[in-house]
Amino acid sequence: MSVLPDPGATRAVLIGTSHYDHLESLPAVSNNLTALAEALTGPTSWALPQEHCTIISNPTTAEMTMGAVRAAAEQARDTVLIYFAGHGLVDPEGDLYLAMPQSKQQRVETGLPYRWIRQALLNGRADRCVVVLDCCYSGLALGTMGGPSDLADQAAVEGTFLLAAAAETRQALAPPDETFTAFTGELLDTLQTGIPNGPELIDFGALYRHLRIRLAAKGRPDPQARDRNTGARLALGRNLACLPATAITPSTDGEPPTGRSWPSPSGIRTVRGFFKSLADVRVTSGLTHQMVSQRSGGRISPGTVSRLLNREGLPKTWHTTAAYLSACGVPDQQVAEWHAVWTRLLTDTTTDASALTVPQPRQNQKPTTLQRLTGRVSRRNGRSRDHRSGSS
């Protein structure tokens, strides 16, 4: 089953070089970064907080770039995504280097070795790793079939997916008259328009198959991909081609919509992820806020639905969320799973808040017997000192 990551526990680093001192510049790369960041932070994709999506445009040093990659790999608990667009270089040993603004042909030491990124991800703590490379010879990152060097074979994580714009011997394409590079432009178009007759969620497996068909039809380089375990099931966004054009009309008998793949709460780790998935439930249902209210039998108003989905803190009581889920049509068994997640998150946030609270003495609290005795001794000693001071 395809899943969207928890945005509160996910990080993305988008790296791009559009200006080169010694290589042909690629102005479209700047547009790639801006549009992809907008997509990843949007509601139909990962809905990442702005601070969880880092853009590194025309990095001046490999150290600066790797600092951001390592930080993302360390902070992410759910998914970490690394994207690069620019020129790709190959050293005499056949390893891939990512070209920086000062890079030169045949001078791979002026670039960023891809193996550094791979190692940083291997050392990270995320359950899933995604690498998207829009550069020449990017297929080299996939390694040889069965080889020990590629990330997909080494990563001890739940799922890994590598998506490359071109084979190991092919150049990627950046048409001068187009806003985006060929590969990233097709990826963005897929997120914006969806896959006709495709799945409800565009997972990386479906995305790869769709990109191959679309790019081949245009005579452009074939993308390459490799995944491990459940990497291909990780979704990049909702399939907008599958969303209902109009909201579903509530049935007169109050029966919920059927045949829908409801967002699973099993992967939720953070409060932000909880509300992102709650909002996805309404999108999946095809219902407006008013319709959700009607289906609830008046238990929640349209305004309550809106406030629930735009909260920043977890509700202290469960009944409103339960009414919302049931009104959307989520089966009772899955509502129970949501309740378990809510209980866990509420316990975690309460525990965290308690750990940060410094106990303060209560006002008007009666002194203990020890405190009263200590006070008497202190006063007696004070009078003795006063008496000695006056006699000297």
Side-chain angles (χ1 to χ4, degrees), residues 12 58 78 160 200 296 364:
N58 296 309
D78 189 313
T160 304
E200 293 181 17
S296 74
N364 302 323

Side-chain angles (χ1 to χ4, degrees), residues 20-358:
Y20 288 93
D21 294 342
H22 309 286
L23 303 174
E24 181 184 357
S25 291
L26 303 170
V29 168
S30 293
N31 299 328
N32 287 3
L33 297 180
T34 302
L36 186 55
E38 184 176 335
L40 290 173
T41 56
T44 59
S45 182
W46 285 2
L48 292 180
Q50 296 287 342
E51 62 272 18
H52 289 188
C53 186
T54 301
I55 296 178
I56 302 179
S57 180
N58 296 309
T60 55
T61 65
E63 181 181 7
M64 178 182 75
T65 305
M66 288 306 304
V69 171
R70 290 193 182 96
E74 179 68 22
Q75 294 165 5
R77 295 295 180 270
D78 189 313
T79 300
V80 58
L81 180 148
I82 306 299
Y83 166 91
F84 173 80
H87 286 298
L89 304 174
V90 184
D91 72 359
E93 284 72 39
D95 289 334
L96 177 67
Y97 280 68
L98 310 181
M100 312 289 282
Q102 296 80 29
S103 293
K104 300 179 180 179
Q105 288 284 5
Q106 311 302 323
R107 295 284 298 276
V108 293
E109 70 274 12
T110 60
L112 171 64
Y114 169 71
R115 66 177 181 273
W116 290 4
I117 292 178
R118 180 185 63 211
Q119 193 59 49
L121 296 179
L122 291 174
N123 294 337
R125 296 198 252 177
D127 283 344
R128 290 178 285 248
C129 298
V130 178
V131 176
V132 179
L133 299 176
D134 188 355
C135 64
C136 299
Y137 320 119
S138 49
L140 288 170
L142 280 64
T144 57
M145 294 302 293
S149 63
D150 62 288
L151 175 63
D153 282 340
Q154 289 191 16
V157 294
E158 178 182 309
T160 304
F161 198 88
L162 288 88
L163 185 58
E168 63 271 19
T169 59
R170 294 289 305 276
Q171 294 184 336
L173 188 63
D177 57 341
E178 295 185 15
T179 304
F180 307 108
T181 60
F183 172 80
T184 299
E186 206 65 55
L187 186 154
L188 290 168
D189 184 69
T190 303
L191 286 178
Q192 292 166 0
T193 62
I195 302 175
N197 303 314
E200 293 181 17
L201 293 178
I202 301 178
D203 59 38
F204 278 95
L207 175 65
Y208 168 62
R209 293 188 293 271
H210 182 71
L211 291 178
R212 281 186 67 88
I213 294 172
R214 291 289 298 272
L215 289 167
K218 297 178 180 180
R220 296 183 169 182
D222 290 333
Q224 308 291 306
R226 193 164 190 186
D227 71 282
R228 176 185 174 91
N229 296 337
T230 59
R233 300 179 191 170
L234 177 66
L236 188 58
R238 294 202 155 274
N239 187 0
L240 298 188
C242 287
L243 293 180
T246 58
I248 300 170
T249 303
S251 59
T252 55
D253 57 4
E255 286 298 315
T258 58
R260 295 192 177 276
S261 300
W262 298 103
S264 172
S266 60
I268 296 175
R269 300 162 181 259
T270 66
V271 173
R272 186 181 289 273
F274 183 85
F275 288 116
K276 170 63 168 68
S277 292
L278 273 186
D280 286 343
V281 166
R282 190 194 66 78
V283 173
T284 301
S285 73
L287 302 173
T288 64
H289 291 188
Q290 181 69 38
M291 286 178 159
V292 173
S293 175
Q294 292 174 359
R295 282 185 177 272
S296 74
R299 286 181 293 168
I300 50 177
S301 67
T304 300
V305 174
S306 178
R307 288 191 294 273
L308 173 66
L309 300 182
N310 289 282
R311 289 178 62 105
E312 294 185 358
L314 205 65
K316 302 304 180 186
T317 58
W318 171 246
H319 58 83
T320 299
T321 307
Y324 165 80
L325 290 168
S326 297
C328 286
V330 176
D332 291 344
Q333 180 179 355
Q334 203 167 31
V335 172
E337 296 175 10
W338 277 92
H339 183 241
V341 171
W342 171 81
T343 302
R344 171 174 54 80
L345 290 174
L346 187 63
T347 301
D348 292 345
T349 53
T350 302
T351 301
D352 292 343
S354 299
L356 295 174
T357 302
V358 179

